[in-house]
Structure formats: structure tokens, C-alpha cells
Amino acid sequence: MKRIGILLLGIMLAVVSYGQSKHVWQSQDYEEAQKKFDDVQAMYKKKGNKTWSLKLLEAFPIASDKTIKHQYVIKCDTTFSADIISNVLSAWCKIKFPDAVQSNVGSNENFRISGILKGVGQTTGAYGTYINANEEVIIEVKENRVRVTSRIFKYIAGTWKGAEHTTPGDSYPVVPDAKQKDSHAMAFINCHYNGLLTVSSLIQYLNDNISTIKNDDDNW
């Protein structure tokens, strides 16, 4: 009887575990990048934004088009159709950028959306600066995987002289002798943080919201 009881308990635990199992979306490259960011922050945050941003630039070089760019492939441990993934991520886009207009690129499985990151850099005083940044998110979907790209392609600085538009690649810390070092160092740090946060949010949304498994044997 004791052996039967143990066997029944094992079956029950297996059923519960199966019922609670979740399909996992993850990106090893993203996890390594997030760790790299956290390590730089832990070592240099207390040294001030200018030093911190310079070390962050060493860890994450500026892209060839002078943008702050984070691109990662996210994969799942099971198979979902591109249509299912696209529908879920379309909903995520509306939450991430509620005021933006989504545009499809070529097909429903490839789309982009953009929004404004407000107050990523600022300094106070008579000659203070307040910086917003333009972020573009490009999502490419294939069966079982997603490639997400976050691009910070423009700073919009409000200064006592008026609005100034620059790219991250034309600003500090990429250009060491550029003006407004303090505000742009802060913007550089916060834009990297937000780019990684965008990817983290997308991964979490996939893990929380995809529950329908594609059945490859449903043509009967």
C-alpha cells in the first residue's frame, strides 16, 4: 500500500508540474548584454555620469549609423506560428507606444514603431538642457523566433538657444569635446537602459501572453 501511495503521489506531482509548465522565450545575447550593462553600472556609477558613459561606450560601441542600437534574437522552447507571435507583439506595441502608429514593413511579420523617450538627459540652471530621444523599434518575426531592434537615432535638446537635433554618434561621450557633456552623458546612459528595457519588456510579454501552441498535424 505504501508503494502504491508513493506512486500515486508521483503521478499527481507530474500532472501538476505539467499543468503549470510554461513555454520559455529567452535570448542569451540579451542576457549577456544586460549583465554587461549592470557590471559597468556597478563599477562606475559612483564616479559620475561622464566617466560612466565613457565606460558604457567601451562596452557598447556606437552603431555605424551613429545610433544607440540593441538587436537580439529571442527564441522559444516550443513552436508557434509567425501569425500568433505577430498578433501578440502587435498588442505589445500598442502598450509600449500607445500614441504611436505602427507600420508594417513588407508583411504582417515585419513591422516598426517609434516613440519618444522623455527627459533622458537634463541639466538645470540658466543654461540648462532638457533632452528627449527618438526610439525606433523594429520587430521581425519567424516561426518560433523574433528579432527585435531598438534604435535611439536622435536627441532633441531643449536649450536656452532653442531646440537642437543631434545623433548620439555626434554627441558626448562619442565625441569627447562635444558641448553639453553632462546632459548628453546622462542621455547616453538612459538610452542604453531604455533600449535594454524595451527588449526585456518584449520578452516578458511573450512569456506572459502566448499560450496557443501550433499543431503541425491539424489537417484532418
Side-chain angles (χ1 to χ4, degrees):
M1 290 294 293
K2 185 175 181 180
R3 291 183 62 187
I4 293 175
I6 293 174
L7 178 61
L8 288 174
L9 177 61
I11 293 172
M12 291 175 65
L13 289 173
V15 170
V16 170
S17 298
Y18 179 81
Q20 293 178 341
S21 65
K22 293 186 68 176
H23 305 297
V24 178
W25 290 84
Q26 59 187 357
S27 169
Q28 184 65 36
D29 289 343
Y30 159 74
E31 292 172 5
E32 292 173 357
Q34 184 64 62
K35 184 180 184 304
K36 188 189 300 183
F37 180 92
D38 292 343
D39 288 346
V40 173
Q41 176 177 266
M43 294 180 66
Y44 296 104
K45 181 178 181 179
K46 292 182 179 180
K47 296 183 181 295
N49 285 346
K50 286 188 283 188
T51 298
W52 183 9
S53 65
L54 283 168
K55 294 300 180 180
L56 201 58
L57 177 61
E58 292 178 9
F60 297 96
I62 203 75
S64 59
D65 58 359
K66 298 185 177 182
T67 65
I68 294 171
K69 182 177 178 181
H70 287 275
Q71 183 180 78
Y72 307 101
V73 175
I74 306 162
K75 297 182 180 180
C76 190
D77 61 357
T78 191
T79 301
F80 295 95
S81 71
D83 284 343
I84 290 174
I85 301 170
S86 296
N87 288 337
V88 169
L89 292 182
S90 181
W92 173 84
C93 286
K94 293 175 183 177
I95 295 171
K96 174 68 177 175
F97 300 116
D99 300 323
V101 177
Q102 175 185 317
S103 61
N104 290 54
V105 183
S107 70
N108 291 333
E109 287 77 41
N110 297 281
F111 48 94
R112 63 164 52 98
I113 195 164
S114 60
I116 296 176
L117 303 174
K118 295 183 178 180
V120 292
Q122 53 187 304
T123 54
T124 58
Y127 300 99
T129 303
Y130 185 88
I131 300 176
N132 294 331
N134 287 123
E135 180 186 22
E136 178 185 61
V137 179
I138 302 169
I139 299 174
E140 301 161 275
V141 179
K142 291 187 178 181
E143 185 179 90
N144 202 41
R145 62 194 186 276
V146 175
R147 183 165 71 177
V148 57
T149 305
S150 166
R151 293 174 65 250
I152 311 295
F153 61 90
K154 184 188 294 183
Y155 292 147
I156 307 169
T159 71
W160 64 279
K161 294 181 179 180
E164 297 179 356
H165 297 249
T166 58
T167 66
D170 291 321
S171 309
Y172 189 86
V174 182
V175 180
D177 59 351
K179 298 178 180 179
Q180 303 171 354
K181 289 181 174 62
D182 291 322
S183 58
H184 282 95
M186 183 179 179
F188 189 79
I189 294 165
N190 282 329
C191 284
H192 274 290
Y193 172 82
N194 278 282
L196 289 166
L197 186 64
T198 292
V199 179
S200 174
S201 168
L202 187 147
I203 293 172
Q204 186 63 51
Y205 197 83
L206 283 169
N207 277 311
D208 289 345
N209 290 278
I210 289 191
S211 59
T212 304
I213 302 175
K214 178 185 176 183
N215 184 354
D216 288 321
D217 188 28
D218 58 359
N219 295 318
W220 52 272

